[in-house]
Structure formats: C-alpha cells, structure tokens
Amino acid sequence: AVVSTQSTGHYYITNNLRMGSDKHKKHKKDKKKKRKHHDSQEEAVEGEVINSEPRIELPQSNKDEVFVWKKKQEEVGLDKLDEGDRELFAQIKEKEKKIELWKVQRRREERELEQAARAEELDRVRLEKEREMFKEWQDQEGQFHLEQARLRSELRIKNNRANPIDLLAYYIHHANDSTDTEIIGEPLSVVQNVSLQDLEDLQADIKVYKDLDKNKTERTFWEDLEVVCEDQIKQNKKKIKIEKNRSSINTAVGVDVQKIFASKTSSQLSEMHKGIQAKLKKGGPIDVSYWENVGQQAFVEISKARLREKHEEITKRREFATKSKAASVIHLTISLSL
C-alpha cells in the first residue's frame, strides 16, 4: 500500500509538470502571433500614408540636347541676337578657346625645352669641370713623374753611372741656369756616339720625357732629339745591314745633298722642306723617290739645326754669365782694396 501511494504521487507530479510545459509553449506561440499581427498592421498603415502623399515627377534630361546657359546669355546680351549671330559668336568663342589652349600648350613646351636646355648646359658644365679636374690631375701626376726622373738622372750623374738620357735631361733642365758647369757638349754628339742598342733605349727614354715635359721649349728639344735619334738608328742599321737600303740616293748624290743642307739655319731648311713638299704635291716629270728622300733628310736636318742653335744660345748665355760673375768679383776686389 505504501509503494502504491508513492507511485501515484510520482505520477501526479510528472503529469502536472508536463501540463505546465505545454501551457508555457502555447502562451509563447500566441504571443508571437500577436506580435506578427501588430507588425503587419503597422506596415499597412505606413503604406497607406506613403501612398497618400503626392508624387513629384522629375524632369527627364535629354542627353542629345546642348546645355544653354540662358542667364549668362542674358548678361552678355546674346538673348537679343538671332540664332545665326549666336552661332557665329559661339564659333568665335570656340576659336578663342582653342587659341588660348594652343598658347598654354606652347608655353608648356617652351618651358620643357628650357628645362631640357638648362639640364643639358648643367651636364656640359659638369663634364667640362670633370675634364679640367682630370687634366689637372694628369698634369700633376706627369709633373711628379718628371721630377722623379730628373732626380734619378742627377743621382746617376753624381755616382758616375750616367746614361745618355741622364746627360740630356740635365742639360736641358739646367739650360737657363747662370752656371758655367757643363756636363756635356753639344747634344748631337751624345746621339751620334752611342751604339745601336743604346740608341734604341735612348729613343724610348726621349719619348717618356717628351710626353711628361709640358714646357714648350723643352718639349721642342725632346721632339728634335727624337727625330735625330730615329734617323741615327736608321743610319746605323744601314751600316750594319740589318735592313735593306731603300734609298735611291747613291753615296755621291748623298754627299751633294749634305752640301746643300750644310751651313743652313733651321728657318732656311724649313723653307727648303716646304718647297720640296710643294714640288712633290705638284707632280710632273720628277724623280719622286729622290725628292722624297731629300725631303725626309731635310726634315731631319731641321731638327739638327734647331739643336745646334739651342746649344749656341745656351753656350753664349753661360759665357756671358761667367764674364759677368768674373767682372763682379774684380769689382768687389777693387772696392775692398780701396
């Protein structure tokens, strides 16, 4: 009986809980239906209000129609003109706009050209400055190497180990010194009294000094020496038969040519050389090979003559300096004795 009572109580409790849950669900469903109905009523009212307002029809724009600013036309007085005059006025204004646009484009192109020209000028100035700086650097480097070469030459002269180039470099570098010290005689004697091997070495050394020395007088000296040295090498090679003699001048004729050049100054020889070149250029019934050889020999004799004249000038200057120095010593001695 106790068990039956407990089972019955549990049944009633379970049944009441189930009924309560069903009522709660039904209440929620009814509430949701009411909310939906209320929303639909509000939408209907809003629709009626909207539909009751008057509609505003917007004007339809014609894309093909040209816009006319009538207010502007009235200000400038175009509204008083007929259609043809207005079109003519519009055409004139259109041309004026095109002309103004062309002027703007032209000014822009001119500015671009000016900017390009200015940039080009700046680049040119920059490159010119860089070339000047590079040339200055080259000159400084060349001067440094030249001074080093002179120093080595003087050291070899002091140690009695001088080469021909050392004597020549000392000679021309001290040509303007007021000293009577004479290391060598005439430079031609140095070139003419060395062997073929020494001449070839001397020729290379002369070229180095010629490239490094920027002094006009000394550069001319080296150029003349280079011509004489090259000619002497050819003469020595002919003597020892290293190369074939291509000259068409025999020994007797060669002696006659030397007599022609003898006792001529460098200016006179230059005129002779120009005359020979003119003769060859003119052509005609002449012995071309003979006159070519004479012209080559005249070119060499010009260099030799300049070297002799330079030596005479240096010798006279040194003699004058020596006499002046001696006269000064005598005058000083007389002054002291009085």
Side-chain angles (χ1 to χ4, degrees):
V2 175
V3 173
S4 175
T5 303
Q6 292 176 348
S7 300
T8 304
H10 177 71
Y11 169 77
Y12 282 116
I13 291 169
T14 305
N15 191 28
N16 288 333
L17 288 173
R18 186 181 296 114
M19 290 176 65
S21 176
D22 293 339
K23 288 179 179 180
H24 179 70
K25 288 180 180 179
K26 185 177 180 182
H27 177 71
K28 284 179 70 177
K29 189 181 290 185
D30 293 339
K31 191 175 180 179
K32 190 173 182 181
K33 284 182 180 179
K34 288 179 181 180
R35 189 184 298 116
K36 277 178 138 184
H37 181 67
H38 180 70
D39 292 341
S40 62
Q41 286 181 347
E42 287 183 352
E43 289 176 359
V45 172
E46 289 177 359
E48 290 177 0
V49 171
I50 292 172
N51 293 330
S52 64
E53 293 180 355
R55 288 191 178 182
I56 300 174
E57 295 292 338
L58 297 176
Q60 297 294 327
S61 61
N62 189 359
K63 295 182 180 180
D64 297 333
E65 184 179 353
V66 179
F67 172 74
V68 177
W69 194 353
K70 295 182 178 180
K71 189 70 175 176
K72 185 68 175 178
Q73 288 184 351
E74 292 176 0
E75 290 179 0
V76 298
L78 291 178
D79 58 326
K80 299 178 181 179
L81 301 177
D82 57 13
E83 187 67 24
D85 292 339
R86 282 199 297 270
E87 289 181 1
L88 180 60
F89 182 81
Q91 292 175 2
I92 293 173
K93 296 297 290 184
E94 185 68 23
K95 288 183 180 179
E96 289 177 353
K97 290 179 182 179
K98 289 182 179 179
I99 292 173
E100 187 63 27
L101 179 61
W102 176 82
K103 289 180 179 179
V104 171
Q105 292 176 346
R106 183 67 179 272
R107 287 195 294 269
R108 184 180 62 187
E109 291 174 357
E110 289 177 353
R111 286 196 301 271
E112 291 176 353
L113 290 175
E114 289 176 359
Q115 291 175 356
R118 193 179 301 111
E120 185 178 355
E121 179 66 16
L122 290 174
D123 290 340
R124 186 189 65 80
V125 172
R126 179 179 57 80
L127 290 175
E128 186 175 350
K129 287 183 178 179
E130 289 179 356
R131 282 195 295 266
E132 289 177 357
M133 292 176 62
F134 182 71
K135 186 178 183 302
E136 184 179 356
W137 175 80
Q138 279 187 322
D139 292 342
Q140 291 177 353
E141 185 183 22
Q143 185 64 27
F144 171 77
H145 288 301
L146 179 62
E147 291 175 357
Q148 292 297 309
R150 287 170 176 168
L151 181 61
R152 288 192 296 269
S153 294
E154 292 186 5
L155 288 175
R156 283 194 290 266
I157 290 173
K158 289 180 180 179
N159 296 327
N160 297 321
R161 298 185 294 104
N163 296 323
I165 190 64
D166 300 328
L167 301 176
L168 294 170
Y170 186 90
Y171 171 85
I172 190 61
H173 184 55
H174 295 280
N176 296 323
D177 293 353
S178 59
T179 176
D180 56 353
T181 304
E182 187 171 339
I183 301 299
I184 62 173
E186 191 174 353
L188 286 174
S189 62
V190 177
V191 179
Q192 293 171 349
N193 296 323
V194 295
S195 64
L196 178 61
Q197 181 64 44
D198 291 337
L199 275 173
E200 291 175 346
D201 295 338
L202 179 61
Q203 186 183 31
D205 293 334
I206 288 172
K207 187 178 184 307
V208 172
Y209 271 92
K210 184 191 73 171
D211 294 339
L212 293 177
D213 206 335
K214 302 303 178 183
N215 183 281
K216 185 177 180 180
T217 303
E218 296 185 10
R219 187 177 179 86
T220 303
F221 172 80
W222 292 117
E223 289 174 351
D224 291 336
L225 271 179
E226 187 177 32
V227 173
V228 174
C229 187
E230 184 179 359
D231 179 71
Q232 193 65 32
I233 289 173
K234 288 181 180 180
Q235 296 298 328
N236 286 5
K237 285 184 177 182
K238 288 178 183 179
K239 289 178 182 179
I240 61 177
K241 297 180 181 179
I242 293 180
E243 67 177 8
K244 294 181 180 180
N245 183 7
R246 293 174 293 179
S247 174
S248 62
I249 305 177
N250 57 33
T251 305
V253 175
V255 173
D256 293 338
V257 171
Q258 291 299 324
K259 288 180 180 179
I260 295 173
F261 296 144
S263 67
K264 292 287 192 302
T265 64
S266 59
S267 300
Q268 292 171 339
L269 289 169
S270 296
E271 292 298 325
M272 291 180 61
H273 184 259
K274 290 179 182 177
I276 293 170
Q277 295 299 316
K279 184 187 288 290
L280 288 170
K281 188 176 181 180
K282 184 178 180 181
I286 60 172
D287 190 344
V288 177
S289 179
Y290 169 82
W291 286 109
E292 283 180 350
N293 282 278
V294 172
Q296 291 174 2
Q297 192 61 36
F299 183 72
V300 175
E301 293 298 325
I302 292 171
S303 297
K304 290 182 179 180
R306 275 201 296 257
L307 290 171
R308 284 193 295 266
E309 292 167 1
K310 183 66 178 177
H311 180 67
E312 290 175 1
E313 178 187 345
I314 294 173
T315 303
K316 288 180 181 179
R317 186 165 54 246
R318 286 178 175 172
E319 288 176 355
F320 179 78
T322 303
K323 290 178 181 179
S324 299
K325 185 178 180 180
S328 299
V329 172
I330 295 172
H331 180 71
L332 180 61
T333 304
I334 294 172
S335 299
L336 292 174
S337 64
L338 295 176

